[in-house]
Amino acid sequence: MGYESHWTGQVRIEPALTWGEIKNNPRSPGLQDLKLRLDEHTEDTLTGQVRIITAAVIEPLTSGPFNGYDVETELQALVEAHPAHEFTGAIEARPVDPDGTPWRYIVQGRKVVRQEQLTAWPGEDADQVEQARRIAVALEQENAHLTVQVERVRAWATSHEYRWLHELLDGYGTRGGHL
């Protein structure tokens, strides 16, 4: 994100943050690139009127272009600071540079994930692009599974008798190759 982008979108908070959660939570981060949209109303009580302030939406700081270096970090910090709340939606970036690739930050569960926009070339249909994306995800998952398996074997082969296995896993004895 070394250049400026136009930021749009919003992340909804359910239930809305209360004033105490907004103002007094030491784990809630200070915000530079995002802002909480404050909703304010007055309620009548037996002792007078009470001003109620809540926040049910996170949005970009401004609609004008800015670099947004901290959008992902700030959004993740807000999600982590408020575990009793659900966060849904996305904050999108459209680079000022016409050759820049748009992306967005979406909340998946309790994790903020960056997603790049997919482009379909003329003649390709959305099904082919989606199939390619599913294959890429499956390969990433298989790679993660194999990495875990290699680490399990490495942990198992701790004695001197299995030094050859450690050397094989570390790339020795494979004539320059690595596992």
Side-chain angles (χ1 to χ4, degrees):
M1 286 184 289
Y3 48 84
E4 292 189 336
S5 297
H6 291 279
W7 295 84
T8 59
Q10 64 182 18
V11 173
R12 304 240 354 118
I13 308 168
E14 191 63 40
L17 297 176
T18 65
W19 180 247
E21 291 171 312
I22 296 166
K23 190 70 175 170
N24 299 324
N25 187 341
R27 294 183 329 172
S28 191
L31 301 175
Q32 294 182 156
D33 290 342
L34 296 174
K35 65 181 177 183
L36 295 171
R37 184 188 312 155
L38 299 180
D39 298 312
E40 184 176 337
H41 68 279
T42 305
E43 288 186 8
D44 290 326
T45 69
L46 295 175
T47 59
Q49 291 187 328
V50 175
R51 195 171 103 192
I52 307 293
I53 301 172
T54 60
V57 173
I58 303 166
E59 57 191 6
L61 180 63
T62 179
S63 60
F66 65 101
N67 62 34
Y69 287 124
D70 295 319
V71 169
E72 181 179 18
T73 304
E74 290 177 8
L75 188 54
Q76 184 66 53
L78 282 166
V79 170
E80 291 173 1
H82 302 287
H85 299 268
E86 293 298 319
F87 296 80
T88 56
I91 305 291
E92 299 179 13
R94 297 226 173 255
V96 172
D97 178 356
D99 293 329
T101 302
W103 72 92
R104 68 182 182 175
Y105 296 111
I106 187 166
V107 180
Q108 294 180 341
R110 305 299 297 171
K111 181 80 177 138
V112 175
V113 177
R114 179 182 166 129
Q115 295 179 333
E116 300 281 335
Q117 186 177 38
L118 295 177
T119 303
W121 294 100
E124 292 180 345
D125 62 8
D127 291 339
Q128 289 174 323
V129 173
E130 179 58 24
Q131 182 180 9
R133 189 197 63 74
R134 282 195 308 269
I135 290 169
V137 168
L139 288 171
E140 285 178 15
Q141 290 172 342
E142 180 63 19
N143 185 38
H145 172 74
L146 291 173
T147 300
V148 168
Q149 292 295 79
V150 167
E151 290 306 315
R152 287 179 63 202
V153 169
R154 188 183 314 269
W156 173 80
T158 57
S159 72
H160 180 71
E161 299 165 33
Y162 297 104
R163 182 179 178 101
W164 64 271
L165 184 54
H166 273 285
E167 291 173 351
L168 179 66
L169 291 171
D170 290 334
Y172 299 105
T174 57
R175 295 197 173 107
H178 295 278
L179 287 181

